[in-house]
Amino acid sequence: MATSKSEKKSTSTVSYKDALKVGLVCGIAVLILSIIVTRAWQDGTAFGFAFVYAGVAFVVVTVFASILNWVLRNDTQNDDQTYPILK
């Protein structure tokens, strides 16, 4: 059998690059929905606001996902597994 070069530590977190991808997908979804809901093709102001809404959604989702990722990476609550879980 082939031996692995390095053992990867299993973590429950994702990379910050993935958090940016999720924010981008949410921003695009908000852009499309806000263009449809506000009928932005009829008014230039509404079209501008659709991009503002998408930008805000991108920033909020990315920051929230990054904060959750940071919290999970720094979680030390379950590091000590020497005690029995069920007594």
Side-chain angles (χ1 to χ4, degrees):
M1 289 180 68
T3 58
S4 63
K5 293 180 181 176
S6 64
E7 291 184 23
K8 283 189 170 183
K9 182 180 175 186
S10 175
T11 61
S12 61
T13 60
V14 295
S15 68
Y16 290 107
K17 186 177 178 181
D18 292 333
L20 283 172
K21 289 178 186 178
V22 169
L24 183 64
V25 169
C26 289
I28 290 171
V30 167
L31 177 65
I32 292 170
L33 288 174
S34 61
I35 286 174
I36 293 170
V37 169
T38 61
R39 290 189 267 174
W41 57 88
Q42 295 177 350
D43 186 23
T45 305
F47 196 73
F49 277 121
F51 280 97
V52 171
Y53 299 150
V56 169
F58 168 74
V59 169
V60 168
V61 169
T62 302
V63 167
F64 191 69
S66 296
I67 289 172
L68 288 176
N69 192 15
W70 179 79
V71 167
L72 283 176
R73 283 182 189 228
N74 294 325
D75 181 24
T76 59
Q77 181 177 0
N78 296 320
D79 282 349
D80 184 20
Q81 297 286 330
T82 58
Y83 55 90
I85 294 174
L86 298 173
K87 293 183 180 182

